[in-house]
Amino acid sequence: MITELAVERVEFTCGSCWHRWSVDYDVQRYRDALDAEWEYFYRDNTAVPSPYTPKGAPPCEHCGRRWVGRLVARRPVPLSGDVDAPRRQVPAEGPHRPERHAAPMLHAAGHQQPQSDTRSSQPSTEPSG
């Protein structure tokens, strides 16, 4: 049984060249028949290992090293419709919103990336003059 769905933004900072980037992951928590809870991670609709482990961390695009990510934001996805939530029945026949099949993929790394050098974006505290 699925117990939680969420989108998690994970930030990576390469400890070798200090490049920073972030990736959005779809996360699914699942409770099995033995009451054990599992986490599944997906990136661009493909199952991947946890980005919070060295095996699951994507390689740095500059030097190829892997560094474990850290959670910087998350958005839970509701599991079931609230009885008061607006809804629309999907017709049994005919296409329903067929454009959704041709819509471009919303890629996991398709959002604004953090600045590579955070020091340059901080205001100077040195006196001028």
Side-chain angles (χ1 to χ4, degrees):
M1 169 177 67
I2 296 172
T3 60
E4 183 181 38
L5 293 173
V7 176
E8 293 186 359
R9 179 156 298 162
V10 181
E11 184 178 80
F12 301 91
T13 303
C14 179
S16 182
C17 69
W18 299 108
H19 173 67
R20 287 180 44 190
W21 72 101
S22 61
V23 176
D24 291 348
Y25 289 86
D26 298 320
V27 182
Q28 182 183 99
R29 291 189 79 164
Y30 179 85
R31 186 176 312 277
D32 67 15
L34 301 174
D35 211 32
E37 196 153 23
W38 301 85
E39 266 185 333
Y40 296 92
F41 291 86
Y42 297 87
R43 181 176 176 186
D44 293 336
N45 212 27
T46 301
V48 295
S50 169
Y52 305 112
T53 64
K55 180 181 177 184
C60 173
E61 64 185 41
H62 292 276
C63 70
R65 306 266 320 259
R66 293 178 186 266
W67 298 89
V68 173
R70 72 179 185 88
L71 179 64
V72 293
R74 81 188 299 271
R75 181 182 68 233
V77 177
L79 288 176
S80 59
D82 181 353
V83 293
D84 295 327
R87 62 184 184 169
R88 180 175 174 205
Q89 187 171 7
V90 177
E93 294 181 17
H96 175 67
R97 294 189 315 118
E99 70 279 5
R100 73 184 196 283
H101 298 293
M105 172 70 95
L106 181 61
H107 293 283
H111 59 274
Q112 181 67 37
Q113 301 296 306
Q115 303 254 341
S116 5
D117 183 4
T118 57
R119 294 171 292 191
S120 65
S121 65
Q122 296 173 350
S124 173
T125 57
E126 306 233 349
S128 58

